[in-house]
Amino acid sequence: MAYQNLLVDNKERVLYITINRESKLNALNAATLGELHTALTNAFADETVGGIIITGAGPKAFVAGADIAEFADLDVEGGRKLAVDGHTKIFDLIENAGKPVIAAINGFALGGGLELAMACHIRIASDNAKMGLPEVSLGLIPGYGGTQRLTNLVGKGKALEMIMTADMITAADAYQSGLVNHVVTPEELIPKAEEILQKILSRAPLAIAAAIKAVNAAGLNNGNGYETEIAEFAKCFGTDDFKEGVSAFLEKRKSAFKGK
């Protein structure tokens, strides 16, 4: 499928999605969000795709926020619809996907851009990256899950400081606070993401999906993470991948998982 605002490439079971609005610092307008929803939905249904790497075009930005011009005429109900659609079609879709999604943060990740990165399962940043949630400087708050995911990642105090000051932090600060998993040079960014994703793809796919579901349950106020873990753990015993994993271990050979 041809996209106007994305570059999409499938290589060796990895789908690369690049937000391609470099002249706008890859800002997320409605058209881009729509294309991103389509690309992600297709990828999660595609058996040839094992995992996804999301990045931004050019050296300056991952995603420098939402397209503010599209917000100007919204009222309360319009704002609610904007947030609900974003959660449902993009951010929750990524977080709850059964396939691993890695954000390769190359430059500015601000507002909706940082929220996009936080929805991914793993974040890797180039050492020149800058991150922040500047919404209060516009009279808003983060609306795509930023208040919740940032708190889960860095803790309440740090999250409130970042959100209320609207300040940007460096990649080194983001690593120290637990916001990103790794910091590398710009040249090492995609290779590092590929290295981690290929290691994940060598493991049992159904177990990976179960692990994502169980870990996500830890952040649900209305759920019990331990109960989810027990249920997902039990389900693994009914998979062919479990039988293959145990057989390979006992036979001292490499596992050949099939996701069944």
Side-chain angles (χ1 to χ4, degrees):
M1 178 177 177
Y3 296 98
Q4 296 296 316
N5 302 294
L6 304 177
L7 299 175
V8 178
D9 189 21
N10 187 356
K11 294 186 298 185
E12 297 181 0
R13 299 188 64 216
V14 176
L15 188 76
Y16 299 80
I17 298 178
T18 303
I19 313 298
N20 189 34
R21 300 185 73 216
E22 190 174 353
S23 65
K24 301 292 186 182
L25 295 180
N26 304 319
L28 295 174
N29 62 357
T32 303
L33 288 169
E35 290 185 4
L36 193 53
H37 171 73
T38 299
L40 290 166
T41 302
N42 290 343
F44 295 145
D46 187 345
E47 293 184 357
T48 70
V49 174
I52 298 169
I53 295 173
I54 300 177
T55 194
K60 293 183 179 180
F62 172 71
V63 171
D67 196 326
I68 303 302
E70 295 186 344
F71 289 8
D73 297 325
L74 294 180
D75 59 11
V76 172
E77 286 307 312
R80 178 184 295 277
K81 185 177 187 305
L82 182 74
V84 169
D85 285 350
H87 278 267
T88 304
K89 295 180 179 179
I90 305 293
F91 300 88
D92 292 353
L93 179 67
I94 292 171
E95 185 174 56
N96 296 317
K99 297 179 181 181
V101 184
I102 296 179
I105 305 170
N106 54 315
F108 291 112
L110 305 175
L114 182 54
E115 290 178 298
L116 176 62
M118 290 192 293
C120 297
H121 304 119
I122 295 171
R123 285 154 296 285
I124 304 167
S126 60
D127 55 19
N128 64 342
K130 297 287 183 64
M131 287 159 258
L133 294 172
E135 286 86 351
V136 297
S137 63
L138 298 172
L140 295 171
I141 66 169
Y144 288 147
T147 62
Q148 306 305 298
R149 293 189 178 100
L150 186 62
T151 301
N152 288 338
L153 288 166
V154 306
K156 182 177 179 181
K158 184 64 175 178
L160 281 170
E161 180 183 351
M162 286 181 62
I163 292 168
M164 293 193 296
T165 64
D167 284 345
M168 289 187 292
I169 63 172
T170 66
D173 290 336
Y175 175 74
Q176 186 175 17
S177 67
L179 181 53
V180 301
N181 300 68
H182 302 275
V183 176
V184 296
T185 66
E187 295 75 20
E188 295 171 321
L189 183 62
I190 297 301
K192 183 64 175 179
E194 292 170 335
E195 174 193 339
I196 293 172
L197 192 50
Q198 288 298 338
K199 183 176 290 187
I200 294 171
L201 296 184
S202 72
R203 313 310 186 193
L206 295 180
I208 295 297
I212 291 171
K213 185 174 181 179
V215 170
N216 284 348
L220 298 177
N221 292 328
N222 60 346
N224 186 311
Y226 294 106
E227 291 179 0
T228 301
E229 180 186 279
I230 290 168
E232 293 302 313
F233 176 75
K235 289 178 185 177
C236 289
F237 283 85
T239 67
D240 291 343
D241 278 354
F242 166 70
K243 297 180 179 66
E244 167 60 16
V246 171
S247 296
F249 177 81
L250 295 175
E251 296 166 12
K252 298 182 180 181
R253 60 175 174 83
K254 186 177 180 178
S255 301
F257 296 116
K258 300 185 184 300
K260 297 181 180 179

